[in-house]
Amino acid sequence: IDGVWHTAIVVYGREYFFGGGIQSARPSSTAYGKPIEIVQMGTTHIPLDLMTDFLRDLEPRFNMNTYSLLSNNCNNFSEELAQFLTGSSIPAHITGLPADVLETPLGAMLGPMLSQ
C-alpha cells in the first residue's frame, strides 16, 4: 500500500471535497496540500446549478457525523460526484484502498477500531 489518499473533484473552477462536510475551495489551496496525482475524468454536461442541487442532496450522507475512514470518506464522495458529473469512476486503486488495508495483518487488527 503506497498511501492513504485524499481525493477531490475540480469542476467549475472549484475543488470539491469531503472534510467534515462537503466543502469547496480554490483548486490546490486546501489544507490537504497540492495533489500528488491529477486524473482527468473527462468533461461534464451537468450545469452548475444542477450540480449544486446534487451536492445539497448529498449533505445528509456526507457530514461530520457520517464520516468513516473505511466506508464513508473523501474517496466515496469523489466517486459519487465523478459518477454524477461524468459517468466515470475514480481509479479503482483509490476506491479499493479500504479493502486492501483490511487485508493486511495490521489492517485486520485495526479494522474493528477504525469501524467504530
Side-chain angles (χ1 to χ4, degrees):
I1 297 173
D2 295 326
V4 177
W5 309 116
H6 168 74
T7 58
I9 301 292
V10 176
V11 63
Y12 294 115
R14 301 289 293 174
E15 180 175 337
Y16 293 88
F17 59 100
F18 177 34
I22 297 172
Q23 301 180 37
S24 74
R26 190 171 31 87
S28 299
S29 71
T30 72
Y32 301 102
K34 295 196 182 290
I36 293 171
E37 178 182 9
I38 296 174
V39 177
Q40 298 296 325
M41 298 299 299
T43 57
T44 187
H45 301 288
I46 304 294
L48 177 58
D49 60 337
L50 187 57
M51 184 190 80
T52 301
D53 290 343
F54 179 74
L55 292 174
R56 198 171 300 114
D57 290 344
L58 289 180
E59 286 175 356
R61 290 190 301 119
F62 291 99
N63 60 66
M64 191 178 303
N65 295 324
T66 64
Y67 180 85
S68 166
L69 182 62
L70 296 176
S71 62
N72 198 51
N73 56 48
C74 61
N75 302 320
N76 302 103
F77 169 77
S78 293
E79 171 67 8
E80 288 206 35
L81 187 54
Q83 282 283 335
F84 177 75
L85 292 171
T86 68
S88 298
S89 289
I90 65 172
H93 71 276
I94 301 285
T95 56
L97 187 58
D100 292 344
V101 168
L102 291 174
E103 288 176 3
T104 68
L106 181 59
M109 185 173 66
L110 294 175
M113 289 183 285
L114 294 174
S115 295
Q116 294 180 3

